[in-house]
């Protein structure tokens, strides 16, 4: 009985598919490894905000570096009110703000704005606005420009 050999076009096709699959898996593993610190930090901050500030659902998360690094999560509390919880990186003191008491971040955006993040600036709530020209810091309640 003779062994059947695979045709050359079939061998080339299998070889190409194997290389494509290897590249896809390597890329997926690279991105999973690259986003792991962000995702674990996000999960920790949300867990702290739920435990200590009464956050029920998290809608937005951000990391801001003004005069210090802080993490912020915005969401609904147990009564349905929208709150922001700011946690400094080197300090466990939470700052909880009622989002209705502050200026809307949409009022601070321009067409080249890439992100608006709730932050602490000189231990007070602020908005960090990132755009193509750098970043600016605005007071949370008044919207007055503090930096930039």
């Amino acid at each position: 009985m003779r062994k059947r050999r695979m045709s050359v076009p079939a061998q080339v096709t299998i070889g190409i598919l194997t290389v494509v699959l290897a590249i896809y898996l390597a890329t997926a593993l690279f991105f999973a490894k690259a986003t792991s610190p962000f995702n674990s930090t996000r999960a920790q901050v949300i867990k702290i905000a739920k435990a200590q500030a009464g956050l029920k659902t998290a809608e937005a998360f951000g990391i801001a570096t003004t005069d210090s690094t802080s993490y912020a999560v915005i969401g609904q509390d147990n009564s349905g009110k929208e709150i922001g919880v700011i946690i400094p990186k080197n300090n466990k003191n939470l700052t909880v703000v009622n989002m209705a008491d502050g200026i809307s971040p949409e009022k601070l955006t321009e067409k080249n704005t890439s992100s608006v993040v709730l932050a602490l600036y000189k231990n007070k709530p602020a908005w960090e606005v990132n755009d193509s020209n750098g970043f600016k810091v605005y007071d949370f309640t008044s919207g007055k420009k503090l930096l930039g």
Side-chain angles (χ1 to χ4, degrees), residues 14-37:
I14 289 174
I16 290 172
L17 289 175
T18 303
V19 169
V20 168
L21 179 63
I23 291 171
Y24 173 76
L25 289 174
T27 304
L29 288 173
F30 173 79
F31 281 110
K33 187 81 169 167
T35 59
S36 177

Side-chain angles (χ1 to χ4, degrees), residues 3-143:
K3 290 186 178 181
R4 290 186 58 171
R5 293 193 64 188
M6 196 179 303
S7 67
V8 172
Q11 291 176 351
V12 170
T13 303
I14 289 174
I16 290 172
L17 289 175
T18 303
V19 169
V20 168
L21 179 63
I23 291 171
Y24 173 76
L25 289 174
T27 304
L29 288 173
F30 173 79
F31 281 110
K33 187 81 169 167
T35 59
S36 177
F38 177 83
N39 291 333
S40 67
T41 300
R42 180 179 181 271
Q44 283 181 308
V45 168
I46 290 172
K47 183 178 178 181
I48 292 169
K50 285 183 176 183
Q52 296 181 17
L55 186 74
K56 185 176 181 181
T57 59
E59 298 167 2
F61 171 75
I63 301 172
T65 304
T66 53
D67 55 345
S68 63
T69 301
S70 60
Y71 307 105
V73 62
I74 298 173
Q76 305 283 327
D77 67 1
N78 293 327
S79 64
K81 184 172 59 169
E82 188 174 34
I83 61 169
V85 181
I86 309 168
I87 303 171
K89 182 178 182 179
N90 298 329
N91 190 345
K92 297 299 179 202
N93 295 331
L94 301 175
T95 302
V96 180
V97 294
N98 183 356
M99 296 305 289
D101 294 341
I103 189 166
S104 171
E106 286 80 22
K107 292 182 180 179
L108 303 172
T109 60
E110 299 171 1
K111 59 182 165 185
N112 61 350
T113 300
S114 59
S115 69
V116 180
V117 179
L118 190 58
L120 282 179
Y121 181 67
K122 296 186 179 177
N123 294 323
K124 295 189 179 190
W127 289 111
E128 180 183 287
V129 179
N130 296 303
D131 59 30
S132 59
N133 299 325
F135 78 94
K136 299 171 186 77
V137 178
Y138 296 92
D139 183 66
F140 175 75
T141 53
S142 69

